[in-house]
Amino acid sequence: MMVRNDERDGMAFAVARTRDEALLYLELQPCPDCGSTEAPWEHALVEIDGELTISYAAVCPGCGAEREYLFGLPAKETPAGSWPTFGGSEPSELLDAGQWLAVADQVASNVPVDPVEAGPALSIARAAVEEVIKFVPPGQDEVPADEFWTPQGRGVFEAEPGRFRLDRLLVVRDTYHELVRETGAK
């Protein structure tokens, strides 16, 4: 059975702004047959109904299910910055604000003691919080409720909506930034 994400009722595919973002999204999609999150993803540029699309395909090592996820191309390339680079200035179409904060929480709660290993983990947490901040519209002070479109994201928001206020997000981001700096990572 081929598992695909392209049942979109004629809509364009959600844009994967960078490879880092696409791979994180894929990591959060367990195999529907066995629940494994491991997969040897291969990517290619394909044409679907006249639209250039990025295909990520893999065979699940746990059960052998074929999986494929299709993503739209960004309007402009996001320049690689510090690792990880999840996207440009626009908010994600793949993960909602609550999912990004859940990623930051999960990574930050499992930071290795060794500073060499801690730096990359804290860099992911910092970058994930930066992605949440992109959902705050200019001139507003919190992420709007409609930016939580997945059950997981809504759950994170509903558990503690105050965490999505801009002032709190900036403090968390800056704290992770300082911790990354202290490890010597960039």
Side-chain angles (χ1 to χ4, degrees), residues 19 29 71 143:
R19 185 166 193 254
Q29 308 305 312
F71 304 107
V143 176

Side-chain angles (χ1 to χ4, degrees), residues 66-85:
E66 294 181 14
R67 299 169 62 197
E68 181 179 36
Y69 289 85
L70 302 171
F71 304 107
L73 294 171
K76 62 181 180 175
E77 186 175 338
T78 300
S82 61
W83 180 87
T85 300

